[in-house]
Amino acid sequence: MKIPLVDLKSQYHSIKSKIDEAVQEVLENGVFLGGDVIDEFEGELERYYGIRHCIGVANGFDALYIVLKKLGIGDGDEVITTAYSWIATANAISQTGAKPVFVDIAEDFNIDCSQIESRITKNTKAILPVHIYGQACDMDEIMKIGLYHELAVIEDSAQAHGSTHGDKKLGTIGKAGILSFYPTKQMGAYGDAGCILTDDGELAGKCREFANHGTINRFNFSDEGINSRMDTLQAAILKVKLKHLDDWIQRRNEIAGHYFEELSDVKGVRPPVVTGRGQHSYYYFPIFSERRDALKQHMYENGVEVGNNYSFILPKTGPYHDGNEYPVAADYASKVITLPVYPELTKEQIQYVCDVINRFGQ
């Protein structure tokens, strides 16, 4: 049996008629940037997230960069973030001229809040938590720290579509949040797309202008801007997918539950820690093994594609070496692989994944 880590074809075929209809309507209308479809999608996302403003942009990286810029973060500033994330998180900070300052992670993969205050300096302007794999950071503690030190909190919710902290959706708790609609995400576009979420009307206006060449109106421009607009085809596709997101998240949780049940007692394999702070949306399902590389090879030999998303940590990568040690993040990077958890997996496929892992542990 062959099981991919992500199967975008299966998802497309499950909603094919609606997707085809939405795309065809855009093609016939001939409006490929802006227009009613963008406005409608942003409005629907605002209602889903319970937030006042949604600004569609070209991708998740741009969403982060735009928010940081429009909060006035730049040369000489510092932004505290996690050591365990994709490099886009650090890149967005450094592209503003600011310095990413890294913090080790807790057992749930997310930033260790007990270490944040020790990294704050007079140059610190913001905290940027990343909700890894769809599980909430400890936002109560992060917001408390941010409030006390007068720091903006920006949520990187790129992997956390529909996830919650208590009764609040991730991306709506801090000053602003961002989503990535990269195709593999819980709600992915058929290309690149992203958005900014905020209740701050002034920040929303600045972000929208900056994302569109600094345009205030057709012949009036603010100081600067970039070209980062969500195209209409992606918005039309995402409008269709938004209606299915809650069902897809429920199915991801069902699959994760099966993995927990089947894998909790497998020798040499350990499931992830789940905090219970809110609804998890399981972008992927991570497992630990001291023999990670051997397990990965075993899975591939048996037709199961697995992920190895973070075999590195940011402060040991490229331009971000800082000379500090991050023992938990480094340990996780050496032991974790991720299993497929997309909603279209069949019972037979889920069981096969578990059976392959069980054989490894024998």
Side-chain angles (χ1 to χ4, degrees):
M1 186 179 293
K2 298 288 186 182
I3 302 175
L5 180 61
V6 179
D7 188 354
L8 299 179
K9 290 182 181 179
S10 290
Q11 186 185 81
Y12 165 63
H13 284 291
S14 74
I15 53 174
K16 183 178 186 300
S17 62
K18 293 295 185 183
I19 292 288
D20 290 353
E21 180 182 342
V23 170
Q24 187 63 35
E25 185 174 343
V26 173
L27 295 177
E28 290 181 355
N29 287 340
V31 179
F32 302 117
L33 286 171
D36 292 344
V37 175
I38 296 287
D39 294 340
E40 290 165 5
F41 173 64
E42 290 179 346
E44 289 178 15
L45 211 60
E46 288 164 359
R47 288 186 287 277
Y48 177 82
Y49 275 89
I51 199 84
R52 290 191 180 92
H53 304 282
C54 168
I55 301 99
V57 295
N59 52 67
F61 169 85
D62 281 4
L64 269 182
Y65 172 71
I66 291 165
V67 169
L68 289 164
K69 285 285 287 184
K70 293 298 102 183
L71 285 173
I73 293 167
D75 292 346
D77 295 333
E78 295 176 353
V79 176
I80 292 175
T81 193
T82 174
Y84 192 87
S85 182
W86 184 240
I87 198 166
T89 303
N91 281 344
I93 296 168
S94 60
Q95 283 294 305
T96 69
K99 175 186 175 182
V101 175
F102 301 107
V103 173
D104 205 358
I105 58 173
E107 63 178 0
D108 64 348
F109 292 94
N110 285 316
I111 191 168
D112 185 345
C113 295
S114 70
Q115 299 186 36
I116 291 175
E117 286 191 294
S118 68
R119 305 292 279 151
I120 294 173
T121 73
K122 62 181 177 62
N123 297 319
T124 307
K125 293 297 188 293
I127 306 171
L128 204 171
V130 183
H131 304 297
I132 293 290
Y133 299 132
Q135 179 163 227
C137 297
D138 186 348
M139 290 304 298
D140 287 341
E141 186 62 24
I142 291 170
M143 293 302 294
K144 188 186 302 182
I145 294 169
L147 180 63
Y148 182 81
H149 293 277
E150 298 183 334
L151 303 174
V153 175
I154 305 156
E155 294 177 77
D156 184 338
S157 302
Q159 298 184 11
H161 295 239
S163 296
T164 65
H165 184 284
D167 60 356
K168 293 183 178 180
K169 285 190 166 60
L170 300 184
T172 70
I173 302 168
K175 183 73 168 177
I178 72 96
L179 296 174
S180 164
F181 300 115
Y182 186 78
T184 61
K185 296 298 195 292
Q186 296 94 325
M187 188 175 79
Y190 289 171
D192 253 332
C195 78
I196 297 162
L197 303 171
T198 185
D199 273 326
D200 186 321
E202 182 179 0
L203 176 62
K206 290 178 179 179
C207 289
R208 193 176 292 281
E209 290 173 10
F210 185 74
N212 187 24
H213 298 290
T215 304
I216 298 172
N217 54 50
R218 188 173 181 183
F219 300 112
N220 192 8
F221 304 91
S222 56
D223 290 341
E224 59 178 352
I226 62 172
N227 180 11
S228 181
R229 295 170 295 202
M230 181 185 293
D231 72 65
T232 310
L233 277 170
Q234 303 307 334
I237 290 161
L238 291 167
K239 273 186 65 184
V240 173
K241 289 193 171 190
L242 182 58
K243 294 177 175 63
H244 298 272
L245 180 57
D246 285 341
D247 289 339
W248 288 341
I249 291 172
Q250 180 179 343
R251 179 59 179 156
R252 285 174 181 269
N253 275 269
E254 291 170 358
I255 296 167
H258 194 84
Y259 284 151
F260 277 113
E261 184 177 340
E262 289 281 333
L263 304 178
S264 292
D265 296 323
V266 176
K267 183 179 178 181
V269 173
R270 178 164 60 90
V273 170
V274 176
T275 63
R277 293 187 187 112
Q279 177 173 257
H280 203 314
S281 62
Y282 290 102
Y283 177 44
Y284 289 122
F285 189 91
I287 60 173
F288 300 80
S289 175
E290 297 284 348
R291 301 169 56 214
R292 190 268 307 276
D293 292 342
L295 174 57
K296 182 179 177 181
Q297 182 65 28
H298 171 76
M299 300 299 285
Y300 273 91
E301 287 175 353
N302 285 275
V304 180
E305 184 182 3
V306 297
N308 191 8
N309 305 71
Y310 306 117
S311 58
F312 61 90
I313 62 173
L314 292 176
K316 302 292 183 183
T317 302
Y320 300 116
H321 288 263
D322 64 6
N324 296 320
E325 296 303 318
Y326 302 85
V328 181
D331 183 59
Y332 279 30
S334 70
K335 294 178 180 176
V336 171
I337 64 170
T338 52
L339 305 181
V341 69
Y342 50 89
E344 295 77 27
L345 282 168
T346 66
K347 291 181 180 179
E348 292 76 19
Q349 288 174 316
I350 298 163
Q351 190 59 52
Y352 181 75
V353 172
C354 295
D355 291 344
V356 171
I357 295 172
N358 270 283
R359 290 200 296 272
F360 178 80
Q362 292 175 354

